[in-house]
Amino acid sequence: DYLRITAPETLRGTNSTLTIYDLSGRIRHHQVFPDSGVLELDLQNLSSGQYILVLKNKMSVGRASFIRY
């Protein structure tokens, strides 16, 4: 399973990072977000549950949640 993430314009470009947290606050995934603003994230290493996705750079922060079945 894959999650397609498209960043808004304010979060595109250099030095953007993507972090995924579980509901206990533990980091489950962290990586530099591609400059293109689009990422296909492989969810195979995440167990079933709800997660918080944080995409940020020096100017802006975006948050979303998703459920892995």
Side-chain angles (χ1 to χ4, degrees):
D1 293 328
Y2 289 87
L3 178 64
R4 182 179 176 87
I5 304 165
T6 303
E9 290 293 327
T10 58
L11 288 166
R12 292 184 186 191
T14 59
N15 300 322
S16 292
T17 59
L18 169 73
T19 307
I20 296 176
Y21 299 90
D22 62 19
L23 292 183
S24 298
R26 293 179 296 202
I27 294 175
R28 305 303 295 182
H29 181 81
H30 180 80
Q31 74 175 76
V32 173
F33 200 81
D35 291 344
S36 67
V38 178
L39 175 67
E40 294 263 340
L41 184 65
D42 185 353
L43 300 178
Q44 186 175 16
N45 293 327
L46 294 178
S47 57
S48 295
Q50 188 172 355
Y51 295 90
I52 307 296
L53 181 147
V54 178
L55 181 58
K56 66 181 178 177
N57 61 21
K58 292 181 181 180
M59 305 284 281
S60 190
V61 176
R63 292 180 182 86
S65 63
F66 67 95
I67 298 173
R68 165 90 162 102
Y69 292 99

Short mmCIF file of all heavy atoms in Angstrom, two decimals:
data_model
loop_
_atom_site.label_atom_id
_atom_site.label_comp_id
_atom_site.label_asym_id
_atom_site.label_seq_id
_atom_site.Cartn_x
_atom_site.Cartn_y
_atom_site.Cartn_z
N ASP A 1 0.83 -1.18 0.00
CA ASP A 1 0.00 0.00 0.00
C ASP A 1 0.87 1.24 0.00
O ASP A 1 1.91 1.28 0.65
CB ASP A 1 -0.90 0.03 1.23
CG ASP A 1 -1.93 -1.08 1.20
OD1 ASP A 1 -2.36 -1.46 0.10
OD2 ASP A 1 -2.30 -1.57 2.28
N TYR A 2 0.41 2.25 -0.71
CA TYR A 2 1.14 3.51 -0.81
C TYR A 2 0.23 4.67 -0.47
O TYR A 2 -0.96 4.63 -0.71
CB TYR A 2 1.69 3.70 -2.24
CG TYR A 2 2.82 2.76 -2.56
CD1 TYR A 2 2.56 1.50 -3.06
CD2 TYR A 2 4.13 3.13 -2.35
CE1 TYR A 2 3.59 0.62 -3.34
CE2 TYR A 2 5.17 2.27 -2.63
CZ TYR A 2 4.89 1.02 -3.14
OH TYR A 2 5.92 0.16 -3.41
N LEU A 3 0.83 5.72 0.07
CA LEU A 3 0.14 6.96 0.35
C LEU A 3 0.76 8.03 -0.52
O LEU A 3 1.97 8.26 -0.47
CB LEU A 3 0.29 7.33 1.83
CG LEU A 3 -0.34 8.64 2.29
CD1 LEU A 3 -1.86 8.58 2.15
CD2 LEU A 3 0.04 8.92 3.74
N ARG A 4 -0.06 8.67 -1.34
CA ARG A 4 0.44 9.74 -2.22
C ARG A 4 0.25 11.07 -1.49
O ARG A 4 -0.88 11.43 -1.14
CB ARG A 4 -0.30 9.75 -3.54
CG ARG A 4 0.22 10.79 -4.50
CD ARG A 4 -0.54 10.72 -5.82
NE ARG A 4 -0.16 11.74 -6.73
CZ ARG A 4 0.86 11.67 -7.59
NH1 ARG A 4 1.59 10.57 -7.65
NH2 ARG A 4 1.14 12.67 -8.39
N ILE A 5 1.34 11.78 -1.29
CA ILE A 5 1.32 13.05 -0.58
C ILE A 5 1.72 14.15 -1.55
O ILE A 5 2.78 14.09 -2.17
CB ILE A 5 2.31 13.02 0.61
CG1 ILE A 5 1.98 11.84 1.53
CG2 ILE A 5 2.28 14.34 1.36
CD1 ILE A 5 3.08 11.51 2.50
N THR A 6 0.86 15.15 -1.66
CA THR A 6 1.15 16.32 -2.49
C THR A 6 1.19 17.53 -1.57
O THR A 6 0.21 17.85 -0.91
CB THR A 6 0.06 16.52 -3.56
OG1 THR A 6 -0.03 15.32 -4.35
CG2 THR A 6 0.40 17.68 -4.48
N ALA A 7 2.35 18.17 -1.52
CA ALA A 7 2.53 19.32 -0.63
C ALA A 7 1.95 20.58 -1.24
O ALA A 7 2.02 20.78 -2.45
CB ALA A 7 4.02 19.52 -0.36
N PRO A 8 1.38 21.45 -0.39
CA PRO A 8 0.96 22.75 -0.89
C PRO A 8 2.18 23.59 -1.28
O PRO A 8 3.31 23.28 -0.87
CB PRO A 8 0.22 23.38 0.31
CG PRO A 8 0.72 22.64 1.50
CD PRO A 8 1.12 21.28 1.03
N GLU A 9 1.97 24.63 -2.06
CA GLU A 9 3.08 25.45 -2.56
C GLU A 9 3.97 25.96 -1.43
O GLU A 9 5.19 26.04 -1.59
CB GLU A 9 2.54 26.64 -3.36
CG GLU A 9 1.93 26.26 -4.69
CD GLU A 9 2.95 25.72 -5.69
OE1 GLU A 9 4.12 26.17 -5.67
OE2 GLU A 9 2.58 24.83 -6.47
N THR A 10 3.39 26.31 -0.30
CA THR A 10 4.18 26.87 0.81
C THR A 10 5.15 25.87 1.42
O THR A 10 6.06 26.25 2.15
CB THR A 10 3.26 27.41 1.92
OG1 THR A 10 2.42 26.35 2.38
CG2 THR A 10 2.43 28.57 1.42
N LEU A 11 4.95 24.57 1.14
CA LEU A 11 5.82 23.54 1.71
C LEU A 11 6.68 22.85 0.66
O LEU A 11 7.31 21.84 0.94
CB LEU A 11 4.98 22.51 2.47
CG LEU A 11 4.41 23.04 3.78
CD1 LEU A 11 3.33 22.12 4.30
CD2 LEU A 11 5.51 23.21 4.81
N ARG A 12 6.71 23.40 -0.53
CA ARG A 12 7.55 22.83 -1.58
C ARG A 12 8.90 23.52 -1.60
O ARG A 12 9.03 24.66 -1.22
CB ARG A 12 6.89 22.97 -2.95
CG ARG A 12 5.66 22.12 -3.06
CD ARG A 12 5.07 22.19 -4.42
NE ARG A 12 3.80 21.45 -4.42
CZ ARG A 12 3.15 21.15 -5.50
NH1 ARG A 12 3.59 21.50 -6.67
NH2 ARG A 12 2.02 20.47 -5.41
N GLY A 13 9.90 22.79 -2.05
CA GLY A 13 11.23 23.37 -2.17
C GLY A 13 12.20 22.76 -1.18
O GLY A 13 11.94 21.73 -0.58
N THR A 14 13.29 23.43 -1.03
CA THR A 14 14.39 22.88 -0.24
C THR A 14 14.07 22.85 1.24
O THR A 14 13.30 23.65 1.76
CB THR A 14 15.66 23.72 -0.46
OG1 THR A 14 15.40 25.06 -0.07
CG2 THR A 14 16.11 23.66 -1.90
N ASN A 15 14.69 21.90 1.89
CA ASN A 15 14.66 21.75 3.35
C ASN A 15 13.29 21.41 3.93
O ASN A 15 13.04 21.67 5.10
CB ASN A 15 15.21 23.00 4.03
CG ASN A 15 16.64 23.27 3.64
OD1 ASN A 15 17.44 22.35 3.49
ND2 ASN A 15 16.98 24.53 3.45
N SER A 16 12.41 20.83 3.16
CA SER A 16 11.14 20.35 3.72
C SER A 16 11.33 18.93 4.22
O SER A 16 12.01 18.13 3.59
CB SER A 16 10.04 20.38 2.66
OG SER A 16 9.72 21.69 2.31
N THR A 17 10.75 18.64 5.36
CA THR A 17 10.85 17.29 5.92
C THR A 17 9.46 16.73 6.19
O THR A 17 8.52 17.47 6.49
CB THR A 17 11.65 17.28 7.24
OG1 THR A 17 11.02 18.13 8.19
CG2 THR A 17 13.08 17.70 7.01
N LEU A 18 9.37 15.42 6.11
CA LEU A 18 8.15 14.69 6.39
C LEU A 18 8.41 13.79 7.59
O LEU A 18 9.39 13.04 7.60
CB LEU A 18 7.76 13.83 5.19
CG LEU A 18 6.65 12.81 5.43
CD1 LEU A 18 5.31 13.53 5.54
CD2 LEU A 18 6.61 11.78 4.34
N THR A 19 7.54 13.89 8.60
CA THR A 19 7.65 13.03 9.78
C THR A 19 6.27 12.43 10.03
O THR A 19 5.26 13.13 9.98
CB THR A 19 8.11 13.82 11.01
OG1 THR A 19 9.31 14.52 10.70
CG2 THR A 19 8.38 12.88 12.18
N ILE A 20 6.26 11.13 10.30
CA ILE A 20 5.01 10.44 10.63
C ILE A 20 5.12 9.93 12.07
O ILE A 20 6.10 9.27 12.43
CB ILE A 20 4.74 9.27 9.66
CG1 ILE A 20 4.53 9.83 8.25
CG2 ILE A 20 3.54 8.46 10.12
CD1 ILE A 20 4.35 8.77 7.20
N TYR A 21 4.11 10.28 12.87
CA TYR A 21 4.04 9.89 14.27
C TYR A 21 2.88 8.93 14.48
O TYR A 21 1.84 9.08 13.84
CB TYR A 21 3.79 11.11 15.17
CG TYR A 21 4.85 12.17 15.09
CD1 TYR A 21 4.76 13.20 14.17
CD2 TYR A 21 5.93 12.16 15.96
CE1 TYR A 21 5.72 14.19 14.10
CE2 TYR A 21 6.90 13.14 15.91
CZ TYR A 21 6.79 14.16 14.97
OH TYR A 21 7.75 15.14 14.90
N ASP A 22 3.05 7.99 15.42
CA ASP A 22 1.89 7.21 15.83
C ASP A 22 1.17 8.02 16.92
O ASP A 22 1.62 9.10 17.31
CB ASP A 22 2.27 5.80 16.29
CG ASP A 22 3.17 5.76 17.51
OD1 ASP A 22 3.26 6.76 18.26
OD2 ASP A 22 3.80 4.71 17.72
N LEU A 23 0.05 7.53 17.41
CA LEU A 23 -0.73 8.29 18.38
C LEU A 23 -0.09 8.36 19.75
O LEU A 23 -0.50 9.15 20.61
CB LEU A 23 -2.16 7.74 18.48
CG LEU A 23 -3.01 7.96 17.23
CD1 LEU A 23 -4.43 7.44 17.46
CD2 LEU A 23 -3.03 9.41 16.81
N SER A 24 0.98 7.58 19.97
CA SER A 24 1.75 7.67 21.21
C SER A 24 2.83 8.74 21.12
O SER A 24 3.55 8.97 22.09
CB SER A 24 2.40 6.32 21.54
OG SER A 24 1.41 5.35 21.73
N GLY A 25 2.98 9.36 19.94
CA GLY A 25 3.98 10.40 19.75
C GLY A 25 5.33 9.90 19.28
O GLY A 25 6.27 10.68 19.14
N ARG A 26 5.43 8.61 19.01
CA ARG A 26 6.70 8.05 18.52
C ARG A 26 6.86 8.30 17.03
O ARG A 26 5.89 8.18 16.27
CB ARG A 26 6.76 6.54 18.78
CG ARG A 26 6.83 6.19 20.25
CD ARG A 26 6.86 4.70 20.42
NE ARG A 26 5.57 4.20 19.91
CZ ARG A 26 5.03 3.05 20.25
NH1 ARG A 26 5.67 2.24 21.05
NH2 ARG A 26 3.88 2.68 19.77
N ILE A 27 8.07 8.65 16.64
CA ILE A 27 8.35 8.84 15.22
C ILE A 27 8.41 7.47 14.55
O ILE A 27 9.17 6.60 14.96
CB ILE A 27 9.68 9.60 15.01
CG1 ILE A 27 9.55 11.01 15.56
CG2 ILE A 27 10.06 9.61 13.53
CD1 ILE A 27 10.84 11.80 15.52
N ARG A 28 7.59 7.30 13.53
CA ARG A 28 7.55 6.02 12.79
C ARG A 28 8.25 6.13 11.45
O ARG A 28 8.63 5.13 10.86
CB ARG A 28 6.10 5.59 12.59
CG ARG A 28 5.28 5.51 13.87
CD ARG A 28 5.88 4.58 14.87
NE ARG A 28 5.84 3.25 14.32
CZ ARG A 28 6.24 2.16 14.94
NH1 ARG A 28 6.75 2.25 16.14
NH2 ARG A 28 6.17 1.00 14.36
N HIS A 29 8.41 7.36 10.95
CA HIS A 29 9.08 7.57 9.66
C HIS A 29 9.52 9.03 9.59
O HIS A 29 8.81 9.92 10.05
CB HIS A 29 8.12 7.26 8.50
CG HIS A 29 8.75 7.43 7.15
ND1 HIS A 29 9.55 6.47 6.59
CD2 HIS A 29 8.71 8.46 6.27
CE1 HIS A 29 9.96 6.89 5.41
NE2 HIS A 29 9.47 8.10 5.20
N HIS A 30 10.71 9.25 9.02
CA HIS A 30 11.21 10.62 8.83
C HIS A 30 12.05 10.65 7.57
O HIS A 30 12.87 9.76 7.35
CB HIS A 30 12.04 11.06 10.04
CG HIS A 30 12.57 12.45 9.91
ND1 HIS A 30 11.82 13.55 10.17
CD2 HIS A 30 13.78 12.90 9.53
CE1 HIS A 30 12.54 14.64 9.96
NE2 HIS A 30 13.74 14.27 9.57
N GLN A 31 11.86 11.68 6.75
CA GLN A 31 12.67 11.81 5.55
C GLN A 31 12.58 13.23 5.01
O GLN A 31 11.67 13.99 5.37
CB GLN A 31 12.25 10.83 4.47
CG GLN A 31 10.94 11.18 3.77
CD GLN A 31 10.66 10.22 2.63
OE1 GLN A 31 10.26 9.09 2.88
NE2 GLN A 31 10.87 10.66 1.41
N VAL A 32 13.52 13.57 4.16
CA VAL A 32 13.48 14.83 3.43
C VAL A 32 12.40 14.70 2.37
O VAL A 32 12.31 13.67 1.69
CB VAL A 32 14.85 15.14 2.79
CG1 VAL A 32 14.78 16.36 1.90
CG2 VAL A 32 15.90 15.32 3.87
N PHE A 33 11.57 15.72 2.25
CA PHE A 33 10.50 15.69 1.25
C PHE A 33 11.06 16.18 -0.08
O PHE A 33 11.80 17.16 -0.13
CB PHE A 33 9.34 16.60 1.70
CG PHE A 33 8.05 16.29 1.03
CD1 PHE A 33 7.26 15.25 1.47
CD2 PHE A 33 7.62 17.04 -0.05
CE1 PHE A 33 6.05 14.96 0.85
CE2 PHE A 33 6.41 16.76 -0.67
CZ PHE A 33 5.63 15.72 -0.22
N PRO A 34 10.74 15.49 -1.19
CA PRO A 34 11.32 15.87 -2.48
C PRO A 34 10.90 17.29 -2.93
O PRO A 34 9.78 17.72 -2.64
CB PRO A 34 10.79 14.81 -3.45
CG PRO A 34 9.72 14.09 -2.73
CD PRO A 34 9.85 14.35 -1.28
N ASP A 35 11.79 17.96 -3.61
CA ASP A 35 11.53 19.31 -4.11
C ASP A 35 10.33 19.36 -5.05
O ASP A 35 9.69 20.41 -5.20
CB ASP A 35 12.75 19.88 -4.83
CG ASP A 35 13.90 20.16 -3.87
OD1 ASP A 35 13.65 20.23 -2.64
OD2 ASP A 35 15.03 20.33 -4.35
N SER A 36 10.01 18.26 -5.70
CA SER A 36 8.88 18.21 -6.63
C SER A 36 7.55 18.45 -5.93
O SER A 36 6.56 18.82 -6.56
CB SER A 36 8.83 16.86 -7.34
OG SER A 36 8.52 15.84 -6.40
N GLY A 37 7.50 18.22 -4.62
CA GLY A 37 6.26 18.41 -3.86
C GLY A 37 5.33 17.23 -3.88
O GLY A 37 4.22 17.30 -3.37
N VAL A 38 5.78 16.11 -4.47
CA VAL A 38 4.94 14.91 -4.55
C VAL A 38 5.76 13.71 -4.08
O VAL A 38 6.92 13.55 -4.46
CB VAL A 38 4.43 14.66 -5.98
CG1 VAL A 38 3.61 13.40 -6.05
CG2 VAL A 38 3.63 15.86 -6.47
N LEU A 39 5.15 12.87 -3.25
CA LEU A 39 5.83 11.69 -2.72
C LEU A 39 4.86 10.52 -2.68
O LEU A 39 3.71 10.67 -2.25
CB LEU A 39 6.34 11.98 -1.31
CG LEU A 39 6.97 10.82 -0.54
CD1 LEU A 39 8.28 10.40 -1.19
CD2 LEU A 39 7.21 11.20 0.89
N GLU A 40 5.30 9.36 -3.12
CA GLU A 40 4.56 8.10 -2.96
C GLU A 40 5.25 7.36 -1.82
O GLU A 40 6.37 6.87 -1.97
CB GLU A 40 4.62 7.27 -4.24
CG GLU A 40 3.91 7.89 -5.41
CD GLU A 40 2.51 7.36 -5.60
OE1 GLU A 40 2.21 6.27 -5.09
OE2 GLU A 40 1.73 8.05 -6.26
N LEU A 41 4.60 7.30 -0.68
CA LEU A 41 5.18 6.70 0.52
C LEU A 41 4.70 5.26 0.69
O LEU A 41 3.50 5.01 0.74
CB LEU A 41 4.79 7.53 1.75
CG LEU A 41 5.39 7.09 3.07
CD1 LEU A 41 6.90 7.26 3.06
CD2 LEU A 41 4.78 7.90 4.20
N ASP A 42 5.64 4.34 0.76
CA ASP A 42 5.33 2.93 0.97
C ASP A 42 4.94 2.73 2.44
O ASP A 42 5.72 3.03 3.34
CB ASP A 42 6.56 2.08 0.62
CG ASP A 42 6.29 0.59 0.69
OD1 ASP A 42 5.20 0.18 1.13
OD2 ASP A 42 7.19 -0.16 0.29
N LEU A 43 3.74 2.23 2.68
CA LEU A 43 3.24 2.04 4.04
C LEU A 43 3.48 0.64 4.59
O LEU A 43 3.02 0.32 5.68
CB LEU A 43 1.74 2.34 4.08
CG LEU A 43 1.32 3.74 3.68
CD1 LEU A 43 -0.19 3.86 3.72
CD2 LEU A 43 1.97 4.79 4.56
N GLN A 44 4.22 -0.17 3.88
CA GLN A 44 4.42 -1.56 4.26
C GLN A 44 5.02 -1.71 5.66
O GLN A 44 4.70 -2.66 6.37
CB GLN A 44 5.33 -2.24 3.23
CG GLN A 44 5.48 -3.71 3.44
CD GLN A 44 6.28 -4.35 2.31
OE1 GLN A 44 6.95 -3.67 1.55
NE2 GLN A 44 6.20 -5.64 2.21
N ASN A 45 5.85 -0.78 6.09
CA ASN A 45 6.50 -0.89 7.39
C ASN A 45 5.67 -0.32 8.55
O ASN A 45 6.12 -0.33 9.69
CB ASN A 45 7.87 -0.20 7.36
CG ASN A 45 8.83 -0.93 6.45
OD1 ASN A 45 8.77 -2.16 6.33
ND2 ASN A 45 9.69 -0.19 5.80
N LEU A 46 4.48 0.19 8.24
CA LEU A 46 3.60 0.70 9.30
C LEU A 46 2.51 -0.32 9.60
O LEU A 46 1.89 -0.84 8.69
CB LEU A 46 2.94 2.02 8.87
CG LEU A 46 3.84 3.22 8.67
CD1 LEU A 46 3.01 4.42 8.19
CD2 LEU A 46 4.57 3.58 9.94
N SER A 47 2.30 -0.58 10.87
CA SER A 47 1.22 -1.50 11.24
C SER A 47 -0.11 -0.76 11.18
O SER A 47 -0.16 0.46 11.04
CB SER A 47 1.47 -2.05 12.65
OG SER A 47 1.58 -1.01 13.58
N SER A 48 -1.19 -1.49 11.29
CA SER A 48 -2.52 -0.89 11.25
C SER A 48 -2.67 0.11 12.40
O SER A 48 -2.19 -0.12 13.50
CB SER A 48 -3.60 -1.96 11.39
OG SER A 48 -3.56 -2.83 10.29
N GLY A 49 -3.32 1.22 12.11
CA GLY A 49 -3.54 2.23 13.15
C GLY A 49 -3.66 3.61 12.56
O GLY A 49 -3.62 3.81 11.35
N GLN A 50 -3.80 4.59 13.44
CA GLN A 50 -3.92 5.99 13.03
C GLN A 50 -2.58 6.68 13.20
O GLN A 50 -1.87 6.44 14.19
CB GLN A 50 -4.99 6.70 13.86
CG GLN A 50 -5.29 8.08 13.36
CD GLN A 50 -6.48 8.71 14.07
OE1 GLN A 50 -7.16 8.08 14.86
NE2 GLN A 50 -6.73 9.96 13.76
N TYR A 51 -2.26 7.58 12.27
CA TYR A 51 -0.97 8.27 12.26
C TYR A 51 -1.16 9.75 11.98
O TYR A 51 -2.14 10.15 11.36
CB TYR A 51 -0.05 7.67 11.18
CG TYR A 51 0.31 6.24 11.46
CD1 TYR A 51 -0.47 5.20 10.98
CD2 TYR A 51 1.40 5.93 12.24
CE1 TYR A 51 -0.15 3.88 11.26
CE2 TYR A 51 1.73 4.61 12.53
CZ TYR A 51 0.95 3.60 12.03
OH TYR A 51 1.26 2.30 12.32
N ILE A 52 -0.20 10.53 12.46
CA ILE A 52 -0.17 11.96 12.21
C ILE A 52 1.02 12.23 11.29
O ILE A 52 2.14 11.81 11.57
CB ILE A 52 0.01 12.77 13.51
CG1 ILE A 52 -1.03 12.38 14.55
CG2 ILE A 52 0.02 14.27 13.22
CD1 ILE A 52 -2.44 12.68 14.18
N LEU A 53 0.75 12.94 10.22
CA LEU A 53 1.77 13.28 9.24
C LEU A 53 2.08 14.78 9.39
O LEU A 53 1.16 15.60 9.44
CB LEU A 53 1.20 13.00 7.85
CG LEU A 53 2.06 13.25 6.63
CD1 LEU A 53 1.70 12.23 5.57
CD2 LEU A 53 1.87 14.64 6.11
N VAL A 54 3.36 15.12 9.52
CA VAL A 54 3.78 16.51 9.66
C VAL A 54 4.78 16.82 8.55
O VAL A 54 5.81 16.15 8.43
CB VAL A 54 4.40 16.80 11.04
CG1 VAL A 54 4.86 18.25 11.13
CG2 VAL A 54 3.41 16.48 12.15
N LEU A 55 4.46 17.81 7.76
CA LEU A 55 5.33 18.26 6.68
C LEU A 55 5.72 19.70 7.01
O LEU A 55 4.84 20.54 7.24
CB LEU A 55 4.59 18.20 5.34
CG LEU A 55 5.34 18.61 4.10
CD1 LEU A 55 6.59 17.78 3.90
CD2 LEU A 55 4.43 18.49 2.89
N LYS A 56 7.03 19.98 7.11
CA LYS A 56 7.42 21.33 7.51
C LYS A 56 8.71 21.78 6.84
O LYS A 56 9.51 20.96 6.40
CB LYS A 56 7.55 21.43 9.02
CG LYS A 56 8.68 20.63 9.63
CD LYS A 56 8.68 20.82 11.14
CE LYS A 56 9.78 20.00 11.78
NZ LYS A 56 9.84 20.22 13.21
N ASN A 57 8.85 23.08 6.80
CA ASN A 57 10.09 23.73 6.41
C ASN A 57 10.26 24.93 7.33
O ASN A 57 9.53 25.07 8.30
CB ASN A 57 10.11 24.09 4.92
CG ASN A 57 9.02 25.07 4.52
OD1 ASN A 57 8.47 25.78 5.34
ND2 ASN A 57 8.69 25.09 3.24
N LYS A 58 11.22 25.81 7.04
CA LYS A 58 11.47 26.94 7.94
C LYS A 58 10.33 27.95 7.97
O LYS A 58 10.22 28.73 8.90
CB LYS A 58 12.76 27.64 7.53
CG LYS A 58 13.99 26.80 7.78
CD LYS A 58 15.24 27.53 7.38
CE LYS A 58 16.45 26.64 7.62
NZ LYS A 58 17.69 27.30 7.25
N MET A 59 9.48 27.95 6.96
CA MET A 59 8.44 28.96 6.83
C MET A 59 7.03 28.48 7.20
O MET A 59 6.17 29.29 7.52
CB MET A 59 8.40 29.47 5.39
CG MET A 59 9.72 29.99 4.89
SD MET A 59 10.12 31.58 5.54
CE MET A 59 9.12 32.59 4.50
N SER A 60 6.78 27.18 7.14
CA SER A 60 5.41 26.69 7.26
C SER A 60 5.38 25.26 7.80
O SER A 60 6.35 24.53 7.70
CB SER A 60 4.75 26.74 5.88
OG SER A 60 3.39 26.50 5.97
N VAL A 61 4.22 24.89 8.35
CA VAL A 61 4.00 23.53 8.85
C VAL A 61 2.62 23.08 8.37
O VAL A 61 1.65 23.82 8.46
CB VAL A 61 4.04 23.48 10.39
CG1 VAL A 61 3.72 22.08 10.88
CG2 VAL A 61 5.38 23.93 10.92
N GLY A 62 2.55 21.85 7.88
CA GLY A 62 1.28 21.25 7.51
C GLY A 62 1.08 19.95 8.25
O GLY A 62 2.05 19.20 8.48
N ARG A 63 -0.14 19.68 8.68
CA ARG A 63 -0.44 18.45 9.42
C ARG A 63 -1.66 17.77 8.80
O ARG A 63 -2.58 18.43 8.34
CB ARG A 63 -0.74 18.77 10.88
CG ARG A 63 0.46 19.26 11.66
CD ARG A 63 0.08 19.56 13.11
NE ARG A 63 1.21 20.08 13.84
CZ ARG A 63 1.56 21.35 13.88
NH1 ARG A 63 0.85 22.25 13.23
NH2 ARG A 63 2.60 21.74 14.58
N ALA A 64 -1.63 16.45 8.88
CA ALA A 64 -2.77 15.66 8.42
C ALA A 64 -2.73 14.35 9.19
O ALA A 64 -1.71 13.97 9.76
CB ALA A 64 -2.70 15.40 6.92
N SER A 65 -3.84 13.66 9.23
CA SER A 65 -3.87 12.32 9.83
C SER A 65 -4.37 11.33 8.80
O SER A 65 -5.03 11.69 7.84
CB SER A 65 -4.75 12.31 11.08
OG SER A 65 -6.09 12.59 10.74
N PHE A 66 -3.98 10.08 9.02
CA PHE A 66 -4.46 9.02 8.15
C PHE A 66 -4.54 7.72 8.93
O PHE A 66 -3.92 7.59 9.98
CB PHE A 66 -3.58 8.86 6.89
CG PHE A 66 -2.19 8.36 7.14
CD1 PHE A 66 -1.89 7.01 7.04
CD2 PHE A 66 -1.17 9.24 7.48
CE1 PHE A 66 -0.60 6.54 7.27
CE2 PHE A 66 0.12 8.79 7.69
CZ PHE A 66 0.40 7.43 7.59
N ILE A 67 -5.35 6.81 8.42
CA ILE A 67 -5.51 5.50 9.05
C ILE A 67 -4.96 4.45 8.11
O ILE A 67 -5.28 4.41 6.93
CB ILE A 67 -6.99 5.22 9.36
CG1 ILE A 67 -7.52 6.26 10.34
CG2 ILE A 67 -7.17 3.80 9.90
CD1 ILE A 67 -9.01 6.18 10.58
N ARG A 68 -4.12 3.59 8.66
CA ARG A 68 -3.56 2.45 7.92
C ARG A 68 -4.37 1.23 8.32
O ARG A 68 -4.45 0.87 9.49
CB ARG A 68 -2.09 2.26 8.27
CG ARG A 68 -1.49 0.94 7.86
CD ARG A 68 -0.91 1.04 6.48
NE ARG A 68 0.02 -0.04 6.25
CZ ARG A 68 -0.27 -1.11 5.53
NH1 ARG A 68 -1.46 -1.24 4.99
NH2 ARG A 68 0.62 -2.05 5.33
N TYR A 69 -5.02 0.58 7.35
CA TYR A 69 -5.82 -0.62 7.63
C TYR A 69 -5.02 -1.86 7.42
O TYR A 69 -4.12 -1.94 6.67
CB TYR A 69 -7.06 -0.66 6.72
CG TYR A 69 -8.05 0.41 7.05
CD1 TYR A 69 -8.10 1.60 6.31
CD2 TYR A 69 -8.92 0.27 8.11
CE1 TYR A 69 -9.02 2.58 6.62
CE2 TYR A 69 -9.84 1.26 8.42
CZ TYR A 69 -9.88 2.42 7.66
OH TYR A 69 -10.79 3.38 7.97
#
